[in-house]
């Protein structure tokens, strides 16, 4: 059961680890992405994004208790903010609105998943340990 919980958390974190590493490897592209969304100073937002994506994922995957909950909460908060900035379906119409609404709702599901991870991690020491990979 421990391996199954860890694999579920890994599935939630996969896109964040990939994105964080891609931004770290190509920092100029990460800066350009922040500029595209009007975030200034772009380099600071790019660095913060990398830190949250990679740091939050490490905590969700390898920490227990409050630290795992902190990582999950950081990724949930980041996802909510990024989704509002990146998928403003309410300003669109037609197929563009349809695609952005779908992406918005999918990201809302990720937020819910991270919320569950945080709640499980905070339940009790036994619950936190049951979500940690076996050694």
């Amino acid at each position: 059961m421990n391996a199954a919980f860890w694999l579920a958390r890994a599935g939630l974190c996969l896109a964040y680890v990939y994105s964080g590493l891609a931004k770290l490897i190509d920092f100029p592209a990460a800066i350009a992405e922040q500029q595209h969304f009007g975030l200034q100073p772009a380099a600071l937002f790019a660095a913060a994004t990398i830190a949250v994506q990679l740091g939050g994922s490490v905590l969700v995957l390898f920490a227990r208790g409050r630290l795992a909950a902190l990582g999950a909460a950081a990724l949930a908060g980041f996802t909510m903010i990024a989704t509002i900035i990146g998928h403003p379906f309410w300003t669109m119409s037609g197929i563009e609105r349809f695609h952005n609404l779908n992406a918005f709702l999918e990201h809302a599901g990720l937020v819910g998943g991270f919320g569950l991870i945080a709640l499980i991690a905070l339940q009790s020491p036994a619950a936190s340990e049951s979500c940690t990979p076996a050694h």
Side-chain angles (χ1 to χ4, degrees), residues 4-109:
F5 279 121
W6 192 85
L7 287 172
R9 292 191 327 241
L12 279 172
C13 292
L14 180 62
Y16 299 89
V17 172
Y18 174 82
S19 179
L21 289 175
K23 287 174 176 57
L24 192 60
I25 291 166
D26 190 357
F27 195 66
I31 292 171
E33 180 182 38
Q34 303 305 313
Q35 290 171 332
H36 168 77
F37 289 110
L39 300 172
Q40 294 295 333
L44 179 63
F45 277 99
T49 296
I50 293 166
V52 171
Q53 288 180 324
L54 296 180
S57 293
V58 165
L59 291 176
V60 167
L61 292 171
F62 301 109
R64 295 180 179 167
R66 289 183 179 159
L67 287 178
L70 175 64
L75 290 171
F78 167 80
T79 302
M80 288 186 340
I81 293 166
T83 301
I84 290 168
I85 292 169
H87 300 286
F89 67 90
W90 55 91
T91 67
M92 302 168 183
S93 61
I95 195 71
E96 183 182 31
R97 182 181 195 283
F98 173 79
H99 288 301
N100 277 275
L101 175 58
N102 281 343
F104 190 96
L105 295 173
E106 289 168 358
H107 286 85

Side-chain angles (χ1 to χ4, degrees), residues 1-11 61 129-135:
M1 195 66 133
N2 290 341
F5 279 121
W6 192 85
L7 287 172
R9 292 191 327 241
L61 292 171
E129 290 173 9
S130 72
C131 294
T132 304
H135 291 66

